[in-house]
Amino acid sequence: MINTKENKIKAYLAGVNLNDPNFDYYMTELGELSKANQMEVVGQTSQNADKLAAGTYFGLGKVNQIRAAAQGLKAKVLIINDELTPTQIRNLEKMTKLRVLDRTELILEIFSNRAKTRQAKLQVRLARLQYEFPRLHPSENNLDQQRGSGGSNGGFANRGSGETKLELNRRTLGKQITAIKKELKDISKQENIKAARRNNSRLPKVALVGYTNAGKSTTMNELLKVFSDTANKKQVFEKDMLFATLDTSVRRIELDDKLSFILSDTVGFISKLPHNLVESFKATLQEAEDADLLINVVDSSDQNMIQMIKTTQKVLKELGITEIPIITAYNKADLTERNYPQIEGDDILYSAKDPVSIRQLANLITKRIFANYEEIKLKLPLQASKIVAHLHENGQVLSEDYKESGIYMTVRLPERDIKELKKYLI
Ligand SMILES: Nc1nc2c(ncn2[C@@H]2O[C@H](COP(=O)(O)OP(=O)(O)OP(=O)(O)O)[C@@H](O)[C@H]2O)c(=O)[nH]1
Ligand SMILES: [Mg+2]
């Protein structure tokens, strides 16, 4: 349901600046995240400090100031720019009389609202449970509550009457976490089988990565429109909102001259992505890890473009992805004054909505991934059907002619594969 302005929850943003040059940008992002969560931002404040107050995050004077300001603006929620400790959340809620949401919870909330497939839902749920686990605390009414003797919890009854609700909750949560991990592992196993099939074909793999809402999915869809056969054209979901994509989609792109590659679209990034979330989404991001080439899609019309590029680089590093070559693709050039498409070295300025741009992008990708491919002509014995099949799987077969004297083929292959075929070269 779309909330109108009237019934949107009013939120007040606040953060402590520990001398971070990116602080203003993080606050801007926090505002975007709040809006993505159906909230209306009514005001914001910050405090410069050398360190965070252990119990309250802000200094006490600042907390009072926030309470007054938020009350005046009729805010119901206080949104904090960092991940807080459970104690900090509790104290701030008590002192401000506001519901307190930290950055991590905000991002988790958006992800849970967006998740559609079983895998995405489980991944978000796992991240959320792991976030909640250390935050479980005995609330006022269950602090002293002990499990009644002879209760209905069968198997656990002998755990002793001293068990608090808290311990019970912890155990329940722990079990849920284990169960979700197991189910995710099963899903991931099936995915791995599919991935292995793709790996076997040894077609080059290209992954679209980058900041959320940069236009990764749009770029994939437009490449599919221009280059794929109908069976492969299935479009992916694209929309003007943060984290539209939570699942990785994989498609085969067939270029005009029989060159093909595998393209994947992945979940978008943002600063300070919660650690648990990155962990849970590792399986989904596997495609990026396995890629031969990454396309870092950037919204070139956004004034925070440089920060967004840095954010993507940082998340990739956190994922351990440091060795894969990258093309930086500056998208949405139609919203700028600059001429496009334009290629400069490994970079391209383009618009995903412009077919000429899309062809140029494909050219650039092709140049990179097929850089070490060579075109060769072969004459194979008629009975060499295994080699023929292998060439179809691993190379780009440009022509194939069956004659009485043998099979004549023109093939593009990676350099390393050519050695083995030396005796058939013509
Ligand atoms: N004007 C313009 N809009 C674009 C262009 N490319 C994408 N968009 C729009 O930008 C918005 C986000 O596009 P997506 O393709 O969903 O972005 P994404 O990078 O996949 O985003 P996430 O999945 O959320 O990470 C959509 O509304 C697109 O229509 C472009 O070249 N020009
Ligand atoms: Mg997307």
Side-chain angles (χ1 to χ4, degrees), residues 335-355:
L335 302 177
T336 73
E337 304 282 290
R338 302 178 61 190
N339 285 334
Y340 66 92
Q342 243 186 87
I343 291 183
E344 219 182 283
D346 279 339
D347 300 344
I348 180 169
L349 176 72
Y350 77 113
S351 164
K353 305 219 164 163
D354 161 42

Side-chain angles (χ1 to χ4, degrees), residues 302-342:
D302 196 300
Q303 55 172 4
N304 291 311
M305 174 181 86
I306 302 290
Q307 309 265 23
M308 292 167 161
I309 296 174
K310 283 191 186 149
T311 300
T312 301
Q313 287 166 343
K314 206 164 157 217
V315 180
L316 287 174
K317 211 165 150 202
E318 275 164 28
L319 287 164
I321 303 177
T322 51
E323 305 284 312
I324 306 173
I326 297 188
I327 286 178
T328 309
Y330 296 93
N331 187 24
K332 306 198 189 179
D334 56 311
L335 302 177
T336 73
E337 304 282 290
R338 302 178 61 190
N339 285 334
Y340 66 92
Q342 243 186 87

Side-chain angles (χ1 to χ4, degrees), residues 25-275:
Y25 173 63
Y26 291 150
M27 288 299 284
T28 309
E29 268 190 349
L30 196 67
E32 291 302 316
L33 287 166
S34 310
K35 284 182 223 154
N37 220 354
Q38 304 300 331
M39 292 173 179
E40 182 196 347
V41 178
V42 291
Q44 71 173 63
T45 187
S46 61
Q47 178 174 40
N48 293 323
D50 294 326
K51 66 185 191 44
L52 301 174
T56 49
Y57 179 73
F58 300 103
L60 290 184
K62 192 70 185 178
V63 179
N64 288 331
Q65 193 192 324
I66 289 172
R67 186 185 51 207
Q71 243 171 28
L73 292 162
K74 297 201 164 51
K76 293 279 175 287
V77 184
L78 174 62
I79 298 182
I80 307 291
N81 191 31
D82 290 295
E83 182 169 319
L84 298 181
T85 66
T87 315
Q88 287 168 338
I89 293 190
R90 259 195 324 275
N91 288 339
L92 281 177
E93 287 197 333
K94 232 184 252 164
M95 294 161 78
T96 61
K97 306 267 183 292
L98 295 166
R99 184 172 166 227
V100 173
L101 264 185
D102 67 8
R103 188 183 181 96
T104 301
E105 251 189 299
L106 194 61
I107 295 176
L108 286 173
E109 190 86 25
I110 300 172
F111 269 65
S112 2
N113 291 334
R114 303 277 197 261
K116 285 193 208 86
T117 63
R118 180 91 189 133
Q119 188 180 20
K121 280 183 183 156
L122 287 171
Q123 283 167 328
V124 180
R125 178 114 188 91
L126 178 62
R128 184 169 271 249
L129 289 175
Q130 283 172 337
Y131 170 83
E132 279 168 9
F133 192 79
R135 283 171 172 72
L136 276 180
H137 63 90
S139 64
E140 293 72 30
N141 60 2
N142 66 17
L143 184 59
D144 299 317
Q145 191 182 336
Q146 299 188 340
R147 289 193 47 249
S149 53
S152 58
N153 282 311
F156 304 125
N158 59 357
R159 289 269 169 145
S161 57
E163 186 172 58
T164 61
K165 180 86 179 268
L166 172 65
E167 284 161 346
L168 188 68
N169 285 345
R170 280 217 175 110
R171 216 140 33 77
T172 314
L173 221 64
K175 274 188 172 173
Q176 283 178 18
I177 289 176
T178 313
I180 292 179
K181 276 187 175 163
K182 186 180 174 303
E183 193 174 338
L184 275 173
K185 221 179 185 170
D186 291 344
I187 295 178
S188 160
K189 238 186 250 159
Q190 293 158 15
E191 290 297 316
N192 280 343
I193 294 170
K194 279 192 223 155
R197 224 176 284 142
R198 283 195 294 274
N199 285 345
N200 266 344
S201 87
R202 286 190 35 204
L203 284 177
K205 290 191 289 296
V206 179
L208 294 157
V209 295
Y211 201 85
T212 180
N213 214 37
K216 299 177 289 300
S217 302
T218 310
T219 300
M220 178 160 201
N221 284 337
E222 298 307 313
L223 278 164
L224 284 169
K225 275 189 206 157
V226 178
F227 290 111
S228 227
D229 61 33
T230 36
N232 244 307
K233 261 195 166 64
K234 196 164 167 264
Q235 299 271 294
V236 299
F237 180 61
E238 58 175 72
K239 199 174 171 186
D240 186 14
M241 65 182 190
L242 299 186
F243 306 117
T245 303
L246 290 194
D247 300 286
T248 303
S249 302
V250 184
R251 303 280 189 276
R252 184 178 167 139
I253 303 288
E254 301 191 1
L255 303 167
D256 298 337
D257 48 356
K258 297 195 179 171
L259 297 177
S260 301
F261 62 89
I262 303 289
L263 184 68
S264 53
D265 178 27
T266 60
V267 59
F269 301 156
I270 203 159
S271 312
K272 304 191 197 184
L273 261 185
H275 180 70

